[in-house]
Amino acid sequence: MGDSGVTNSPPGAPVAHGFPHLDTVRSAITALYRRLSADGVRTYATSLAPVDAAFADEDDLHLGAQRVARSLVQHLRLPDARMIVGFRTMEHAASVELTAGPEYFIELNDRFRTHRRDIGAALAHEITHVLLHRLGLEFPGTRANEILTDTTTAYLGTGWLLLDAFREDATSRQKLGYLTPEEFGYVLAKRALAFDEDPSPWFTSPQAYTAYTKGRQRALDDLRRPPLTAAGWTGRRRYAKDRRYAQDHPGAGPDPNVPYAFETGATGPRVSFPCPTCHQRIRLPVRGRVSARCGLCRTRLECDT
């Protein structure tokens, strides 16, 4: 039995920005593909529709929360999982009691009684905890595990709600989850690129849209790194220089400032680099233009090694 919850930045508290957790986020995407398989991840190719998380002020609080929870359970393909949602005064935004099921008890912060538009966001995180619990997928340490949960929520099609809950104005700030707004944007953009889906029309928060565009730029950068042929001239020139150096200095270690590394294999030199979709490392022979497919997510890659 365990208990896990989503954090919320107190109103008015500074919101962290940027990409401080990117390594853990990328590891989470890899772990998700390894646990579910490429076909399993693809079953989530359509995001939760905004109407399924909509919560009007005139809706009954508990019935509305149950309805949204049921939609999230169905979207995440949780079998026979009944969510019982309650409200109480608490430090975190929400928490869930993780048991063997079939019932799960979710508690939401009392402030959601009057901030109903964000109930779906809080529930999305908690119900993803249930999914990961059932899958037996976790990272060591609370922070890394919460980043895994946020990343999974976003990548499987319900996490756009968490980013949309981010709002900043002259008098207040609010953010749910452990990822920064830009990191949520990054994961949502990775998902959008993988499944050809644009979540930006669903954002009601202007700050969420801005964070998404910043995250999307970082996600597009993943597609433009050597040895991928889409890499720019500067990257290609640096890659060629590093390749020559590796050939002349076979014992040299990898450069931590670049995503690729050269190795000496039994059949000749090889280069390893992260897949731009799932971030599993790929190894290819150094022999010029080559078309490859990632063995994990099956993304087709055009490379110039």
Side-chain angles (χ1 to χ4, degrees), residues 3-6 88 90 92-97 105-109 126:
D3 183 78
S4 198
V6 61
R88 70 174 176 89
M90 57 196 299
H92 294 301
S95 67
V96 62
E97 184 180 349
F105 298 89
I106 297 176
E107 292 183 313
L108 300 182
N109 193 300
E126 301 308 325

Side-chain angles (χ1 to χ4, degrees), residues 55-289:
F55 205 128
D57 288 341
E58 61 270 18
D59 289 349
D60 178 271
L61 179 65
H62 290 89
L63 290 177
Q66 291 292 152
R67 174 181 54 79
V68 174
R70 190 162 51 248
S71 295
L72 289 160
V73 165
Q74 291 171 349
H75 176 84
L76 291 174
R77 290 163 174 73
L78 277 165
D80 303 324
R82 179 168 174 245
M83 305 295 159
I84 299 173
V85 183
F87 296 80
R88 70 174 176 89
T89 302
M90 57 196 299
E91 178 185 356
H92 294 301
S95 67
V96 62
E97 184 180 349
L98 296 175
T99 65
E103 294 183 340
Y104 293 87
F105 298 89
I106 297 176
E107 292 183 313
L108 300 182
N109 193 300
D110 260 340
R111 70 186 180 86
F112 287 112
R113 293 178 181 271
T114 54
H115 292 78
R116 299 184 180 189
R117 62 184 286 190
D118 298 324
I119 283 178
L123 288 174
H125 179 97
E126 301 308 325
I127 294 173
T128 302
H129 266 301
V130 175
L131 173 66
L132 292 173
H133 177 65
R134 288 200 166 199
L135 291 174
L137 181 57
E138 63 178 322
F139 278 1
T142 299
R143 178 167 291 276
N145 205 50
E146 292 292 349
I147 291 171
L148 168 65
T149 305
D150 277 343
T151 302
T152 301
T153 307
Y155 205 84
L156 296 187
T158 62
W160 66 268
L161 292 165
L162 280 158
L163 180 54
D164 198 41
F166 166 54
R167 290 183 288 278
E168 277 186 311
D169 57 40
T171 58
S172 66
R173 302 179 182 89
Q174 174 186 274
K175 184 185 78 69
L176 298 179
Y178 282 70
L179 297 185
T180 68
E182 292 78 14
E183 287 169 339
F184 270 120
Y186 173 82
V187 181
L188 291 171
K190 299 287 283 189
R191 170 187 167 78
L193 291 166
F195 303 130
D196 193 24
E197 180 187 72
D198 180 11
S200 58
W202 306 330
F203 295 131
T204 62
S205 162
Q207 294 81 19
Y209 180 79
T210 299
Y212 173 71
T213 59
K214 292 179 179 178
R216 186 174 186 273
Q217 186 58 53
R218 183 62 68 98
L220 288 172
D221 288 344
D222 290 348
L223 301 174
R224 300 167 180 155
R225 291 185 174 144
L228 301 172
T229 56
W233 181 83
T234 302
R236 294 294 315 156
R237 186 179 182 188
R238 168 70 187 271
Y239 178 84
K241 179 181 176 182
D242 291 341
R243 182 176 56 197
R244 285 195 302 271
Y245 183 86
Q247 290 169 343
D248 294 340
H249 304 80
D255 185 342
N257 297 314
V258 295
Y260 49 81
F262 295 98
E263 308 164 356
T264 302
T267 58
R270 300 187 303 174
V271 61
S272 70
F273 60 97
C275 169
T277 298
C278 70
H279 296 282
Q280 174 173 264
R281 289 198 78 82
I282 296 169
R283 286 174 173 80
L284 296 176
V286 176
R287 64 182 184 199
R289 292 290 289 257

Side-chain angles (χ1 to χ4, degrees), residues 3-62:
D3 183 78
S4 198
V6 61
T7 65
N8 62 286
S9 296
V15 173
H17 288 279
F19 300 92
H21 312 111
L22 207 52
D23 286 344
T24 307
V25 166
R26 288 167 171 164
S27 296
I29 294 174
T30 307
L32 196 58
Y33 272 97
R34 284 177 178 162
R35 181 61 184 85
L36 291 179
S37 80
D39 287 338
V41 172
R42 187 156 288 280
T43 64
Y44 298 91
T46 301
S47 286
L48 183 80
V51 66
D52 291 329
F55 205 128
D57 288 341
E58 61 270 18
D59 289 349
D60 178 271
L61 179 65
H62 290 89

